[in-house]
Amino acid sequence: MITFNMLVVVCLTYVVLLFVVAFVAERRAAAGRVAWLRSPLVYTLSLSVYCTAWTFYGAVGYAARSGLEFVTIYLGPTLVLIGWWVVLRKLVRIGKTQRITSIADLISSRYGKSNVLGVIVTLMAVVGTTPYIALQLQSVTLSFAVFAERGPAQWAMGDLNATALWVAAGLALFTVLFGTRNLDANERHHGVVTAIAMEAVVKLIALLAVGLFVIWGVAGGLGEMLTRIEASPLAETHFNSGRWVGLTFLSAAAIFTLPRMFQVLVVENADERHLATASWAFPLYLFLMSLFVVPIAVTGLRVMPEGANPDLFVLTVPLSQGQEGLAALAFLGGFSSATSMVIVAAIALSTMVSNHIVMPLWLHWKEAGATVSGDVRKIVLRARRISIAAILVLGYLYYRLTGGSEVLAAIGLVSFAGVAQVLPALLGGIFWRGATRKGAAAGLILGFATWAYTLFLPSFGPGVAMSAEIMVNGPFGLDWLRPQALFGVTGIDPVVHAVFWSITLNTFAFFAVSLSGFPSPMERLQGAQFVNVFEHSSGARGWSHGAAEAEDLLMMAQRILGSREAQALFQRAASEQGKAGYLPEPTPEFIERLERELAGSVGAATAHAMVGQIAGHSSVSVEDLMAVADEAAQIMEYSSQLEAKSEELARTARQLREANEKLTEISEQKDAFLSQISHELRTPMTSIRAFSEILMEGAALSEDQLTRYSSIIYEEAIRLTRLLDDLLDLSVLERGQVSLNRQRGNLRELLDRAVAATGSLDTQARMAIARDPASEDVALMTDTDRLSQVFINLIANAHKYCDAAAPRLTIVVRRLPEGTAVDFIDNGTGIPKKSQDIIFEKFSRLGDHSSAGGAGLGLAICREIMDKLGGSIAYLPGQGGAAFRVILPASRAEAA
Amino acid sequence: MMDLARLLPVLGLFAFMLPLLGGPEGISRTATNLVYFFLAWFGLIVMAWALARRLSREGLDGEEGEVREGGDGR
Amino acid sequence: MGRTVLLIEDEPNIIEAIRFILSRDGWVVHTHSDGTTAYQSVLEKRPDVVILDVMLPGKSGFDILRDIRGGSETGALPVLMLTAKGQAKDREMAEQIGASRFMAKPFSNTDVLSAVRELAEG
C-alpha cells in the first residue's frame, strides 16, 4: 500500500531529478558538449510538450465518453509533421534567419516589425494559455487527491489548493532557473529541453505500462481485449463528421500556433535537419501515446464503479487492481505531462510578454533612449522572471476560481481554438507577400473576438461570464447573434461552430483588409524575406547610411547582448570591413545585422525600435522597394544580364581574335606585297633593259628583230604604266577623291563588253562562259565604266585562277530585295575558307606564282568601286568554285 | 521526391477522413475502426520515415526553388 | 659542239632576251616554263648550265633547285638563279640550298653571259 507521504517523496525525488538533469545539461552545454543535447531525438522528445496532462489523463476520459474521437487530437499534428516539407520547414528557416523569439515575434516581424501585432498575439496567447496552465495544476492536484483519498488521513480541499500552490511555485522556480539563463533565442535552453525530453520518456513509458497492464494483466490478451471492446458501451463508433474534421483541423493548427509548441518546434530547434527525423518520430510518439487509450477506457468502464471520473482511469484502474507501483508510475507520467507543459508555456509567454509589452513600455518611459545608462539585459531578464511568476500566479488564480468544475476539462479545445486564430496571419504571412499589417490585425482581432464570444465566455457556463439570457436569446434579444448559433446556424456542435465562424471571419477579414490596402515599405521588405526565405537569406536593408554612431550602437548592444558578446560582434564586423578595433563603419548592412542580433534577445519590434532611437528613422529606399516588388524578375534579369555579358565578352574576344588574325595576315600580305611589287616592277624592267642593251649594242639585227624587240620594250613599258595606274587608281578610290560619271546603261551590254575585253586572255584553255541574256536585261544608272572595270576584273580572275580541266564561268543575274545581284561562279577549286576574308585586301594575291598578271590589286579596287557605286561585292561561299556576288543597289538599278 | 513530400499529408488526410464515409448512418464497429486507424497511422509513419531518409540524403536545401506564391506583392 | 643551257623561266619576253644573248655567243638554249616538270626537263636535256627563275607557275625555283642538288646525276650541275624579288632573304635562301650564282632582275646582258661562261668552265 503506497502511502500519500511516500508519493510525496517519490514526487519530490522526481523533481530533484529534473533539476539535476537540467543542471547537468546546462553544464555540459556550457562546456561545449552539446552533441547529444542537440540530437534529433531530444528535439523530437521535446515536441511531446504537446501531450499535456489533458491528453495524458484526458484522452482516456475522452475515449470513455466519446469513443474514437479522441484520436483526432493526434491526427492533426501527425498530418502537419509528415507534411513538414510544406510549412514547418519554412517556419523553422524563417525562425533562424530572422532570429524569431516567439510566435508573437514572428507575426510582429513579418508585418513590418509592428509591435501592435506583437501585443495582440501576446494577449491572445496569455488569455488562451492561462486556463490551460490552470488545467495542468488541477490535474496534478486531482491525481494527488486520488492517492490522498486512499490514505489514512483524509485531505481537505484546502490541502489540495496548497498542493497546487506548491506545484506552481516549484514550476516557477524551475522555469526561472533554467528558462531565463540567457536572452538570445538562438542560445537554446538546453537544461529545459533536456528535462522535457526526459519527461517525455517518463510519460510515454507510464502510459504504455498501464496499457500493457490492462491488456495482458486485466483482459488477458489482445483478442480478449477486442472482445471486451465489442462488449463495451464503446462498441459502436458514431462518427460526427463535423467534429471529426473540425478537431483534426484544430489540432493541426495547434501544433505550431500554440505558444509552447512554437517554442519547442521553431525557437528551440537547433538544426533544420532535426525536422526530418521528427517528421516520422513525433507521429510515432503520438501513435504510441494513443495506442492503449481505448483499452484503458474500456477496462475502466468495466472495472470501475459507476460514476467514477473517467479522466482519472489511468490512475484509478491500476490502483483498483492493486498495482500500487504502476499507479505511482502513472502518477509520475501525469505529473511529467503537466509540468513540462507549464514550464515551456511559461517560457514562451514570458518571452512574449517581456519583448512585446514590458520592453516597449520601458523604452517608452525612457524616452531619452537606449543610450542612457542601465543594463537592458538585466531589465529584460528581470521582466521575464517576473512574467513567468505572474503567468503561474494567473494560472493558479484561475484554478482557484474555476477549479473542480467541468469548465476546466473542456478548456483544452477552447484553448486550441483561441491560439488557432493566429493561423491565417501566420500562413498568409509566410506564403503571401500581399498580406498586410492591417489585414493581420483585423483578422486576429475579429477572430479572437468571435472565439471569445462563441466559445470562451460561454465555456464558463451560463450565468458566469455571460448571462443565460444572452446564451438563449442573444444580446439585446438579437436572435441571430446567439453565441452558439451565429446567424441562425443551429444544430452544430459548439466547438465546431465557434471554430468555423471565428476562423472564417478571421480569414475573410485578413484577406479583405490586406487586399484593400497597400503594405508599407517595411512590410514589403519583411514580407519578401519571409515568403522567399529559401531564395535569399540576406537581410533587407532598412537603414540609411551614416545616421548612427558606431560607439552609440556598441553601448546599446553591450547592454543587451552583454559586453563580451557585443564587443566580439563589433570587432568581427570591423575586421570584416578591414578596420582594426571595435568600431565598424555603421553601414546599413551592419546596422541590419546588429538589429537581427538584438532581435534574437528582445524581439524584432523592440530591437527595431531601439536601433531606431540611435540610427534615426529607418529608411526604405525606392531601390529597395523596387528590388522587393519584383525580385524574381530582377534575379532573372540579372542572370540574363550576366549571360548576355559573358556572351558579349565571348563575342568581343572572338572579334578580337578574328581582328588579330586578320591583322597578322594583312601584315604578312604587306611583306609579301613588297616582294610582289618588286617582282611586278622588275619583271617588265628586265625585258626592257635586256632588249635596250641589245638594241644599244648596235648588233646586226634583222628588220623583223628590230621591230619585235622595240615592240617588246613598248609593251613592257605599258605594263609598268598599267601597274602604276592601278596603284594610283586604288589610292584615289580609297581617299574618296573619285568623281563618278553616272550614265544610263544596260547590264547585258556591260557584261558583253567585259567578256569581250577579257577574250584576249583566253589563251591556253578555252573558258566557257554561261550567261542568261534575258535576265541580264536590266537598265542601270551608274558609272558604267567603273562597273565594267569590276566585271572585267572578275572575269579576268576567273580566266587566271580557274584551275578546272574544262574551265567554265557562269554569270547569273538575280533580283534580290537589296538590289540586283550579279554572280560570277567558276568551277575551279575556289578560295579556301581562311583566305576568303582577305582577298579583298590590297596586294592579297593568293599563292606565290606569277601567272596572274596583276599585283593583287584587282579585288581591292573592285571593292572600292562597288562602295562608291552604293553596291557591294562579296565572296559567295559554297558554290563549288570561286564565286563573287556583285550587288547593284535597287534604287540605282531601277532609276533607269 | 519534393512532390511526394507535399503529397504525403494529403494522403494522410484521405486515410483519416475515409471512415467518415463508410458505415450505415455513420455508425461502425469501434474495434474495426481502431485497427484501421492504427494501421493507416503506422503506414503513414513508415512512409514519412522513408521520405525523411531520402530527403536527408539528397540534402535538405534541395535545389528546388520554393514555388513563389502571389509574387505580385499587391 | 655547242654547249647547252636550260633556261627555266615563265616570262616569254625574258626567255626571248636571254635566248638571243646566249645563242649569239654559241650556246644551245633549251627553255622550259612550267615549274612542276622543270626537274624532269633537266634530266632529259642534260644541260651544261641551268638558268632558273625563282617565281614559276606550279613549283618554286627553290624547290626545283633542291631537286637538282638532291639528284645523283645533277648534284654538281651549275645553276644560275634569277629573281625579280631581289630581297636579301631570297639570296640567302638560294645560297643555302646551293645555287652556283644568284642574280637579281633586271640584269645586265654581259653579266648573264659572263656568269654562264664561268659556270660552264668552272
Side-chain angles (χ1 to χ4, degrees), chain A residues 456-502:
Chain A
F456 186 60
L457 297 181
S459 75
F460 293 94
V464 179
M466 194 178 266
S467 72
E469 165 66 17
I470 291 179
M471 293 288 287
V472 176
N473 296 323
F476 317 112
L478 294 173
D479 189 52
W480 58 277
L481 276 180
R482 273 183 294 156
Q484 297 186 336
L486 275 188
F487 309 111
V489 179
T490 53
I492 312 181
D493 177 82
V495 172
V496 176
H497 172 270
V499 169
F500 174 77
W501 281 116
S502 61

Side-chain angles (χ1 to χ4, degrees), chain A residues 68 74-75 78-79 85 89 93 230 234-237 239 244 273 276 280 287 290-291 431 434 515 524 535, chain B residues 2 9 12-13 16-17 26-31 33 37-38 41 49 52 60-61 64 66 68-69 73-74:
Chain A
L68 261 183
Y74 300 99
L75 295 185
T78 298
L79 292 177
W85 193 262
R89 192 173 67 105
R93 179 72 66 87
E230 284 293 302
L234 302 178
E236 285 186 342
T237 304
F239 282 114
W244 190 272
R273 279 170 298 183
W280 59 268
F287 174 88
S290 49
L291 194 54
F431 287 113
L515 287 173
R524 279 177 188 259
E535 275 112 68
Chain B
M2 310 302 171
L13 193 67
F16 292 156
M17 296 302 152
I27 297 169
S28 54
R29 308 307 298 173
T30 298
N33 281 321
F37 271 111
F38 282 101
W41 199 346
W49 169 76
L60 254 186
D61 285 328
E64 57 126 20
E66 198 73 356
R68 282 163 175 267
E69 292 91 356
R74 156 89 173 81

Side-chain angles (χ1 to χ4, degrees), chain A residues 134 138 141-142 157 161 309 398-409:
Chain A
Q138 168 169 292
T141 52
L142 280 182
M157 197 59 194
N161 288 341
N309 184 359
Y398 195 96
Y399 161 73
R400 283 300 300 272
L401 287 175
T402 62
S405 70
E406 282 292 310
V407 179
L408 217 42

Side-chain angles (χ1 to χ4, degrees), chain A residues 841-866:
Chain A
E841 303 296 340
K842 281 170 287 186
F843 320 123
S844 64
R845 196 170 60 183
L846 303 173
D848 197 23
H849 53 79
S850 62
S851 69
L857 296 173
L859 286 174
I861 291 170
C862 288
R863 189 178 62 175
E864 291 297 331
I865 291 172
M866 290 317 297

Side-chain angles (χ1 to χ4, degrees), chain A residues 604-849:
Chain A
T606 305
H608 192 67
M610 292 183 80
V611 173
Q613 284 187 340
I614 292 172
H617 285 292
S618 69
S619 70
V620 180
S621 68
V622 177
E623 284 77 13
D624 284 338
L625 279 184
M626 299 282 285
V628 174
D630 51 10
E631 209 148 349
Q634 249 199 359
I635 289 167
M636 276 161 62
E637 191 191 339
Y638 180 65
S639 74
S640 72
Q641 264 177 12
L642 268 184
E643 215 167 278
K645 273 205 180 107
S646 78
E647 239 171 55
E648 201 180 306
L649 267 178
R651 197 161 50 237
T652 311
R654 203 160 51 235
Q655 282 168 349
L656 276 175
R657 202 164 48 240
E658 276 166 14
N660 188 43
E661 277 168 14
K662 202 166 163 184
L663 275 177
T664 313
E665 208 149 331
I666 286 173
S667 148
E668 279 168 12
Q669 285 295 318
K670 272 234 149 91
D671 275 355
F673 163 71
L674 279 178
S675 48
Q676 190 70 39
I677 206 75
S678 163
H679 180 268
E680 295 304 322
L681 290 169
R682 281 166 189 264
T683 300
M685 279 211 284
T686 306
S687 303
I688 292 170
R689 180 172 174 180
F691 285 110
S692 313
E693 279 182 18
I694 291 166
L695 293 178
M696 278 160 59
E697 281 166 14
L701 294 172
S702 70
E703 198 64 25
D704 281 356
Q705 279 176 319
L706 209 59
T707 314
R708 174 156 177 76
Y709 294 164
S710 43
S711 70
I712 287 176
I713 292 171
Y714 172 78
E715 276 169 19
E716 294 290 13
I718 296 290
R719 183 173 158 187
L720 268 178
T721 315
R722 204 170 54 229
L723 175 66
L724 294 173
D725 281 347
D726 273 2
L727 278 171
L728 285 174
D729 200 1
L730 187 66
S731 83
V732 166
L733 280 166
E734 275 184 340
R735 274 189 245 144
Q737 291 166 335
V738 67
S739 57
L740 296 176
N741 177 21
R742 291 188 194 284
Q743 51 186 313
R744 288 173 189 281
N746 183 285
L747 182 57
R748 183 167 51 202
E749 285 168 22
L750 290 184
L751 286 171
D752 285 343
R753 208 196 299 172
V755 170
T758 51
S760 62
L761 292 167
D762 205 356
T763 46
Q764 287 139 346
R766 180 90 204 149
M767 171 171 270
I769 297 182
R771 292 169 59 186
D772 174 23
S775 67
E776 290 168 3
D777 192 9
V778 179
L780 298 172
M781 180 68 189
T782 185
D783 189 329
T784 48
D785 288 343
R786 286 297 192 179
L787 190 54
S788 34
Q789 189 184 348
V790 172
F791 292 162
I792 289 167
N793 211 305
L794 291 175
I795 298 170
N797 274 354
H799 276 295
K800 287 180 212 161
Y801 299 116
C802 182
D803 48 7
R808 178 186 178 82
L809 177 70
T810 310
I811 300 173
V812 183
V813 178
R814 286 192 178 88
R815 294 238 179 216
L816 297 180
E818 61 264 41
T820 306
V822 187
D823 296 348
F824 296 83
I825 305 166
D826 71 30
N827 60 346
T829 46
I831 294 171
K833 180 91 181 72
K834 76 173 188 71
S835 307
Q836 287 171 13
D837 294 329
I838 57 158
I839 48 176
F840 290 104
E841 303 296 340
K842 281 170 287 186
F843 320 123
S844 64
R845 196 170 60 183
L846 303 173
D848 197 23
H849 53 79

